[in-house]
Amino acid sequence: MTGPQPRPGIMSIAPYVGGKDTVEGKATVMKLSSNEGALGPSPKAMAAYTKAASELHRYPDGGSEKLRAAIGRHYGLDPARIVCGAGSDELLNLLVRAYCGQGDELLYSAHGFLMYPLNAKGVGATPVAAPETDYRTDVDAMLAKVSDKTKVVCLANPNNPTGSYITKDEVRRLHDGLPRHVLLVIDAAYAEYVSRNDYEAGVELAGKAENVVMCRTFSKIYGLGGLRLGWMYGPAAVVDVINRLRQPFNVNSAAQAAGIAALADVAHADASRTNNDIWLPWLSAELARLGLQPRPSVGNFLLVGFGAQARAEAANAHMMQDGLIPRMVHAYGLGDHLRITIGTEAEVKAVRDSLARFVAAT
Ligand SMILES: *Cc1c(COP(=O)(O)O)cnc(C)c1O
């Protein structure tokens, strides 16, 4: 071998591919491939972003002080135990880099978010997938996979791409079964969409356990994916570790300003949630009526079963021809499904109409 060689594991990573945003030959499309908030960003967040333009020569506040204070106020959390990141992806990656290394294992659920195994490979660790039951995290199966090498457990709750969640009691049982030196990362990217009285985003556990962190994002209900903004809340010791490891100016100034404004625009977030509360059950019922298999979802997307991979691929091609972009989920071992973001009324109705034509023709 000649030339520089990367550390072990890195070359086994298949780079993450984001949702498609164009269809050849289509000038306008409906992008339903990345679970971006249906109503887009708050107008107040857009105004704050624009206002930040005249100060772009200034370095951002490296500690995201005002943003952490705003998050703390909004959720009733101690800002000292919050770290902001360039998307929750950055924080999920830093947590793995900090607590997992070569020879270690990172445990996740079989259809869990793809970045978890990729982050594990990036540090030379082994991703270990626990089987699911009915497209849901199975706590007993997870606990059965814990070994001496397990260092980090990643739980997306709700999970992407399945849309399922596990209850507050199940999360607690998972935590109770883990050795205290294992870090449990609860990724609650879709928490704002969930209205179930047996669900808890992770605030409670991350607030009192020394080995639990909760990650959140502004990319979904707040519609700020393009700005890259997320945050984590956890024990002081973990917060200290991540603050040492992160880049000093990891969150740009426009993102900080827009994030503060987005949190303050409660009406916009409520409207986004209401849109989802109406159109998620509607689309789910319509697709079930067509004979498709929408899986129960508490997020802002539906995982839809087509019975066979060839049929899911044909449905994907059919929707693309209608200018609709769903997400193929082969990478999650779900090649016979498509994931479809809940958009606006016009978008979900276009999805229903397109799939009705597809079903009628096949
Ligand atoms: C979208 C998503 C993220 C990433 O969010 P960013 O803050 O944009 O990096 C993390 N976890 C899950 C489960 C997601 O679906």
Side-chain angles (χ1 to χ4, degrees), residues 5 61 128 148 262 283:
Q5 296 299 311
D61 165 9
V128 175
D148 293 346
L283 186 62

PDB file of all heavy atoms in Angstrom, residues 5 61 128 148 262 283:
ATOM      1  N   GLN A   5      -3.064   6.089   4.651  1.00  0.00           N
ATOM      2  CA  GLN A   5      -4.171   5.153   4.867  1.00  0.00           C
ATOM      3  C   GLN A   5      -5.066   5.669   5.997  1.00  0.00           C
ATOM      4  O   GLN A   5      -4.564   6.055   7.047  1.00  0.00           O
ATOM      5  CB  GLN A   5      -3.622   3.765   5.247  1.00  0.00           C
ATOM      6  CG  GLN A   5      -2.803   3.127   4.139  1.00  0.00           C
ATOM      7  CD  GLN A   5      -3.628   2.910   2.868  1.00  0.00           C
ATOM      8  OE1 GLN A   5      -4.725   2.375   2.922  1.00  0.00           O
ATOM      9  NE2 GLN A   5      -3.091   3.343   1.737  1.00  0.00           N
ATOM     10  N   ASP A  61     -21.157  33.617  18.414  1.00  0.00           N
ATOM     11  CA  ASP A  61     -20.976  33.332  19.834  1.00  0.00           C
ATOM     12  C   ASP A  61     -20.654  31.843  19.955  1.00  0.00           C
ATOM     13  O   ASP A  61     -21.493  30.985  19.670  1.00  0.00           O
ATOM     14  CB  ASP A  61     -22.271  33.684  20.581  1.00  0.00           C
ATOM     15  CG  ASP A  61     -22.315  33.091  21.988  1.00  0.00           C
ATOM     16  OD1 ASP A  61     -21.285  32.561  22.453  1.00  0.00           O
ATOM     17  OD2 ASP A  61     -23.390  33.151  22.601  1.00  0.00           O
ATOM     18  N   VAL A 128     -23.843  -2.741  16.206  1.00  0.00           N
ATOM     19  CA  VAL A 128     -24.584  -3.973  16.492  1.00  0.00           C
ATOM     20  C   VAL A 128     -26.074  -3.647  16.428  1.00  0.00           C
ATOM     21  O   VAL A 128     -26.554  -2.779  17.161  1.00  0.00           O
ATOM     22  CB  VAL A 128     -24.223  -4.531  17.886  1.00  0.00           C
ATOM     23  CG1 VAL A 128     -25.090  -5.737  18.237  1.00  0.00           C
ATOM     24  CG2 VAL A 128     -22.738  -4.895  17.949  1.00  0.00           C
ATOM     25  N   ASP A 148     -19.861  -6.796  26.901  1.00  0.00           N
ATOM     26  CA  ASP A 148     -18.778  -6.074  27.598  1.00  0.00           C
ATOM     27  C   ASP A 148     -18.232  -4.939  26.751  1.00  0.00           C
ATOM     28  O   ASP A 148     -17.619  -4.007  27.273  1.00  0.00           O
ATOM     29  CB  ASP A 148     -17.610  -7.036  27.890  1.00  0.00           C
ATOM     30  CG  ASP A 148     -18.001  -8.102  28.896  1.00  0.00           C
ATOM     31  OD1 ASP A 148     -19.059  -7.925  29.533  1.00  0.00           O
ATOM     32  OD2 ASP A 148     -17.257  -9.092  29.018  1.00  0.00           O
ATOM     33  N   ALA A 262     -37.295  31.180  15.938  1.00  0.00           N
ATOM     34  CA  ALA A 262     -38.195  30.047  15.667  1.00  0.00           C
ATOM     35  C   ALA A 262     -38.864  29.563  16.950  1.00  0.00           C
ATOM     36  O   ALA A 262     -40.066  29.273  16.974  1.00  0.00           O
ATOM     37  CB  ALA A 262     -37.419  28.909  15.007  1.00  0.00           C
ATOM     38  N   LEU A 283     -53.780  10.675   5.458  1.00  0.00           N
ATOM     39  CA  LEU A 283     -53.043   9.951   4.420  1.00  0.00           C
ATOM     40  C   LEU A 283     -52.926   8.470   4.783  1.00  0.00           C
ATOM     41  O   LEU A 283     -53.051   7.602   3.911  1.00  0.00           O
ATOM     42  CB  LEU A 283     -51.652  10.569   4.211  1.00  0.00           C
ATOM     43  CG  LEU A 283     -50.861   9.957   3.050  1.00  0.00           C
ATOM     44  CD1 LEU A 283     -51.579  10.176   1.710  1.00  0.00           C
ATOM     45  CD2 LEU A 283     -49.440  10.516   2.979  1.00  0.00           C
TER      46      LEU A 283
END
